[in-house]
């Protein structure tokens, strides 16, 4: 009977932790689908959409490494409970937000609590399930739920919008967080590390400022001018923050980032894989709904269904990736996965320019990019932690996750910038005879980039005469997406080559 109670308690604990995992992953993949809706109901522009997504990842990055230290010192169960409550409150505020600034600020706190919650989940699982077979099964189920949240997030988000409203994409997490917290309180065992290191506040603050500063510079640079005094000051402050971060970590006895691990070729080669996945695949999921809604005219449900071809392979392919890694080594599988992602983007590019574009012409490239992500993700995770000794696995995992989130935040901003520049490049020659100055042209390009077509002819009456059917606007948007997909495909190919060279020709440990 005692063993049966133990099993039941562990099962309930696993359910609670998986509920937390599902919330975290849904907030990454379900929110992009509602961004065009937020443009209509809250008046969000392209920069707002970027910040709604970016601020979540920046929040996660801010606490990612510190959360593990706090959990070790004060109790993994205790910190997990606190983060669940905070995530539920932040989600409630997001859902009740009546303005973009409130939504962005609440998304930041949602990201902070979500990032800490993710680290605490892993720590709690590691302590709760210590037997080999049971531990492997628990982490396997946890990974499946994480994949389900990421893979089905778009259709779940679009379904919620279709049945209820955009608010419930956030509000639904509040009751889930309450239930998960109750289950955690009653079933997850408390654990601490008496040898826990002290909190690296200086490293945490300087890294966060560097990421935020670079993201702000890219996102707002077009408006304030990249060569303006303000922009240059922001860039100098950002570079200074990063330099101080490196100095702090190298001089700290207990750093968040132990840069010596980058001397291990397997570790560095896998980190290129982390960067590659978030250089192209995940940031593009923010913009793909704009293509489907703005250019193809799909409704929110059809957008969610169309995105399944992009996300589902990420859930189905990892078991194959594990077998391939065991047979051919990660040093080949990870670069091949990145190359496949890049190939998917190039094929998507041609699919978007087909004579009769639609979800079917985008399907081959979308699926191939998803397959590439699936081939890369699991080998990267296993290699970063397996390349170092067991007592450094947590730190290695933290660097891996930080590399992903930092790259994601920066490339969300970069893709938005490239999208606008591509549209501007199209508009300038064809609207040269109109009396639009550079600021008006950029404003027009940003409205097109956000898929905001409803008010274009009202705000720019020149278009009512020169482009009554919207042909020019759609062609400009298509060129912007052409630039993004070309940037993503070539960029991830470069990272694939860097990963292959870094791993080297022989198996290394």
């Amino acid at each position: 009977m005692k063993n049966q109670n133990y099993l039941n308690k562990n099962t309930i604990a696993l359910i609670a932790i998986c509920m937390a995992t599902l919330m975290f992953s849904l907030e990454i993949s379900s929110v992009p689908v509602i961004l065009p809706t937020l443009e209509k109901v809250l008046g969000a522009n392209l920069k707002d959409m970027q910040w709604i997504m970016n601020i979540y990842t920046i929040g996660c990055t801010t606490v990612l490494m510190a959360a593990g230290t706090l959990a070790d010192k004060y109790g993994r169960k205790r910190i997990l409970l606190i983060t669940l409550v905070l995530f539920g409150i932040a989600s409630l505020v997001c859902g009740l937000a009546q303005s973009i600034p409130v939504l962005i600020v609440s998304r930041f706190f949602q990201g902070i609590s979500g990032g800490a919650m993710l680290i605490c989940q892993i720590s709690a699982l590691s302590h709760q399930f210590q037997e080999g077979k049971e531990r492997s099964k628990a982490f396997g189920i946890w990974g499946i739920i994480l994949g389900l949240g990421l893979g089905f997030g778009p259709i779940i988000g679009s379904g919620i919008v279709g049945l209820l409203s955009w608010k419930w994409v956030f509000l639904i997490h509040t009751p889930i967080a309450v239930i998960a917290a109750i289950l955690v309180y009653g079933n997850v065992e408390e654990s601490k590390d008496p040898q826990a290191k002290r909190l690296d506040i200086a490293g945490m603050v300087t890294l966060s400022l560097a990421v935020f500063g670079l993201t702000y510079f890219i996102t707002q640079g077009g408006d304030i001018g990249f060569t303006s005094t303000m922009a240059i000051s922001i860039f100098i402050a950002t570079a200074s923050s990063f330099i101080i971060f490196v100095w702090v970590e190298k001089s700290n006895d207990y750093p968040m980032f132990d840069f010596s691990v980058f001397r291990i070729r397997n570790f560095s080669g896998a980190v290129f894989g982390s960067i590659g996945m978030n250089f192209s695949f995940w940031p593009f999921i923010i913009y793909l709904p704009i293509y489907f809604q703005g250019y193809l005219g799909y409704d929110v449900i059809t957008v969610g269904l169309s995105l399944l071809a992009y996300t589902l392979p990420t859930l189905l392919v990892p078991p194959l990736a594990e077998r391939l890694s065991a047979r051919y080594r990660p040093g080949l599988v990870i670069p091949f996965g990145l190359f496949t992602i890049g190939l998917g983007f190039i094929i998507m590019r041609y699919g978007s320019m087909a004579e009769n574009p639609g979800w079917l012409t985008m399907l081959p490239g979308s699926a191939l990019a998803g397959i590439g992500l699936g081939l890369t993700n699991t080998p990267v995770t296993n290699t970063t932690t397996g390349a170092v000794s067991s007592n450094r696995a947590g730190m290695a995992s933290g660097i891996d996750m930080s590399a992903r989130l930092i790259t994601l935040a920066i490339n969300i901003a970069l893709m938005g910038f490239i999208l606008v520049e591509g549209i501007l490049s199209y508009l300038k020659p064809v609207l040269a005879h109109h009396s639009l100055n550079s600021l008006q042209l950029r404003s027009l390009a940003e409205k097109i980039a956000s898929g905001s077509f409803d008010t274009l002819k009202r705000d720019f009456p020149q278009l009512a005469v020169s482009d009554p059917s919207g042909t020019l606007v759609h062609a400009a948007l298509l060129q912007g997406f052409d630039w993004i997909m070309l940037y993503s495909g070539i960029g991830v190919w470069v990272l694939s080559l860097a990963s292959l060279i870094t791993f080297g020709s022989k198996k290394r440990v």
Side-chain angles (χ1 to χ4, degrees), residues 239-429:
S240 300
S241 295
F242 182 72
I243 292 170
I244 294 171
F245 165 73
V246 173
W247 176 77
V248 165
E249 296 308 291
K250 286 192 172 184
S251 59
N252 195 337
D253 292 333
Y254 304 104
M256 289 194 305
F257 278 62
D258 182 355
F259 289 104
S260 66
V261 296
F262 287 103
R263 300 192 192 111
I264 303 171
R265 297 188 69 164
N266 272 7
F267 181 85
S268 295
V271 168
F272 274 120
S274 297
I275 294 170
M277 291 185 293
N278 294 278
F279 182 94
S280 54
F281 188 91
W282 287 119
F284 191 58
I285 202 174
I286 313 301
Y287 298 99
L288 200 48
I290 297 174
Y291 172 81
F292 283 129
Q293 283 191 276
Y295 186 74
L296 298 179
Y298 290 170
D299 60 52
V300 67
I301 299 294
T302 308
V303 170
L305 290 169
S306 300
L307 285 172
L308 284 178
Y310 191 70
T311 57
L312 269 185
T314 68
L315 176 63
L316 302 175
V317 175
L320 172 63
E322 290 186 40
R323 289 196 292 271
L324 289 174
S325 292
R327 184 170 182 179
Y328 297 107
R329 74 184 178 89
L332 293 177
V333 176
I334 291 172
F336 177 71
L338 293 180
F339 177 83
T340 306
I341 294 173
L343 184 61
F345 271 88
I346 298 302
I347 294 176
M348 268 195 289
R349 176 174 177 257
Y350 285 105
S352 69
M353 296 186 293
E355 186 176 349
N356 295 302
W359 70 269
L360 200 55
T361 63
M362 295 290 285
L363 177 62
S366 296
L368 201 58
I371 289 170
L373 192 285
L375 287 172
T376 309
N377 190 31
T378 304
V380 162
T381 303
N382 292 340
T383 305
T384 51
T385 54
V388 300
S389 57
S390 59
N391 65 316
R392 303 171 85 193
M395 180 272 302
S397 179
I399 292 178
D400 171 34
M401 190 61 68
S402 295
R404 297 180 190 223
L405 292 173
I406 291 169
T407 308
L408 176 60
I410 292 170
N411 273 279
I412 288 174
L414 272 175
M415 282 190 181
F417 173 75
I418 292 168
L419 178 61
V420 171
E421 291 302 311
I423 294 170
L424 264 176
S425 175
Y426 186 91
L427 292 177
K428 283 179 179 178

Side-chain angles (χ1 to χ4, degrees), residues 114-187:
M117 185 171 67
L118 178 67
I119 296 300
C120 291
Q121 292 167 32
I122 298 170
S123 299
L125 272 179
S126 296
H127 180 78
Q128 192 89 15
F129 299 92
Q130 297 185 11
E131 297 179 11
K133 186 176 180 180
E134 187 185 18
R135 179 188 180 90
S136 178
K137 183 179 178 180
F139 271 96
I141 293 171
W142 178 82
I144 290 172
I145 298 301
L146 180 64
L148 285 172
L150 293 171
F152 284 94
I155 191 61
I156 292 172
S158 60
I160 290 172
V161 173
L163 293 172
L164 298 168
S165 76
W166 68 268
K167 294 177 178 292
W168 281 97
V169 172
F170 300 110
L171 291 176
I172 195 170
H173 296 304
T174 301
I176 295 176
V178 171
I179 295 170
I182 293 171
L183 296 179
V184 166
Y185 181 79
N187 297 278

